[in-house]
Amino acid sequence: MIGKKSLLYGLLLAVALSAGSCRRAAEKVGRKVRFEGIERVERQGLTGAEIVVRVDNASGYRLALASAEIGIYYGEARVGTIVLCDPVEIERRTTASVPTLWRLRISDPLALYVMVRKVKAGEYGGVFVSCALEGRGGPVPVKFSREKMPLSDFLNIFGLSIRDIENFLK
């Protein structure tokens, strides 16, 4: 009687093999995608910005960023949240400058005022960033998040420095 037990083992084996296959596909896509940097930041009113990023997608898959949210903290207080307004896509085997539109939602205006004053004075120790991104790298869904990392560590991910922030705030 080969029935139910064999079928169950066969299904478990197929799921295990396909999970390994997805992981390998994700790693392969990840090696072929490179964030080259931020080309331009342009303010849009009081709470918006258009940020043009340069991305090299050498993979055979279209990349899609469906949502992104960046929480800004000063000490323990959540100052605000920066949200990606529209999804972004990058075609396969393409190097492109991609415009992205972002909005700032202010949670604590007083904490924002204090944080901006401290940053303008060169004091960054109390500024932290959380982020959550969702998208797709071809067939593989991508979710990435980090909680309350120091501002300098967050900027390093994108090839930015504290000087870039100072220039933006002028």
Side-chain angles (χ1 to χ4, degrees):
M1 189 160 145
I2 297 180
K4 292 180 183 177
K5 239 182 191 179
S6 295
L7 181 61
L8 178 63
Y9 288 135
L11 286 173
L12 288 174
L13 179 62
V15 168
L17 290 174
S18 67
S21 172
C22 283
R23 187 187 63 214
R24 284 190 298 275
E27 290 170 356
K28 185 178 178 183
V29 169
R31 286 190 301 268
K32 293 185 176 186
V33 176
R34 201 174 73 222
F35 177 82
E36 293 185 344
I38 294 178
E39 292 184 342
R40 182 174 42 103
V41 176
E42 191 174 301
R43 288 187 198 184
Q44 304 282 320
L46 292 175
T47 61
E50 181 183 59
I51 302 174
V52 179
V53 297
R54 184 107 178 129
V55 178
D56 179 16
N57 178 14
S59 77
Y61 300 109
R62 173 187 294 163
L63 304 178
L65 179 59
S67 66
E69 184 172 300
I70 301 168
I72 309 295
Y73 294 84
Y74 184 70
E76 293 300 315
R78 186 176 188 114
V79 172
T81 306
I82 302 170
V83 180
L84 179 67
C85 295
D86 299 314
V88 178
E89 291 187 352
I90 301 159
E91 291 300 321
R92 61 191 190 114
R93 294 185 179 88
T94 302
T95 300
S97 297
V98 182
T100 61
L101 186 60
W102 300 81
R103 289 280 177 244
L104 170 65
R105 291 189 213 136
I106 300 170
S107 304
D108 186 343
L110 185 56
L112 175 63
Y113 174 75
V114 170
M115 183 189 78
V116 169
R117 286 184 51 127
K118 294 286 187 177
V119 167
K120 283 184 176 181
E123 299 174 30
Y124 304 97
V127 182
F128 299 93
V129 178
S130 294
C131 65
L133 311 169
E134 287 188 29
R136 293 194 72 75
V140 181
V142 176
K143 287 187 178 185
F144 173 83
S145 65
R146 293 284 189 265
E147 291 296 321
K148 283 193 160 178
M149 61 189 336
L151 177 63
S152 58
D153 293 351
F154 179 77
L155 293 174
N156 285 336
I157 292 171
F158 299 102
L160 296 171
S161 69
I162 296 296
R163 298 267 184 262
D164 297 318
I165 297 298
E166 290 171 346
N167 291 336
F168 179 70
L169 292 174
K170 287 182 182 178

